[in-house]
Amino acid sequence: MATNLAIDPELLDRALAVSGEKTKKAAVTRALEEFIARREQARIVELFGTLDWDPTYDYKESRRARDRKLGLID
């Protein structure tokens, strides 16, 4: 989709310089991808501490049971 944007030329020049991209389009695309990734990571971080923890859960035994079921161990 073609879009015309009025982007601050100094910001665009800085984005080109730090991104290592060769074109303005590539620099803007990378900037948008990184912006989205950071926002998505921030949402994940907000979830820390919100899950109920079962202190009796034994992840090692769970893995052993899975491996026995798959025939990976006796």
Side-chain angles (χ1 to χ4, degrees), residues 18-60:
V18 301
S19 71
E21 297 293 346
K22 294 181 181 181
T23 66
K24 293 176 182 179
K25 178 183 176 182
V28 170
T29 299
R30 176 174 290 194
L32 288 171
E33 290 168 347
E34 290 182 11
F35 174 81
I36 292 166
R38 281 203 179 116
R39 291 295 172 109
E40 288 173 343
Q41 289 170 357
R43 283 192 217 135
I44 291 169
V45 169
E46 290 172 2
L47 293 175
F48 286 139
T50 62
L51 299 176
D52 292 330
W53 181 255
D54 180 0
T56 64
Y57 177 69
D58 183 353
Y59 72 93
K60 289 182 182 179

Side-chain angles (χ1 to χ4, degrees), residues 6-25:
I7 299 175
D8 182 333
E10 290 180 24
L11 285 176
L12 190 51
D13 288 341
R14 287 175 57 196
L16 271 167
V18 301
S19 71
E21 297 293 346
K22 294 181 181 181
T23 66
K24 293 176 182 179
K25 178 183 176 182

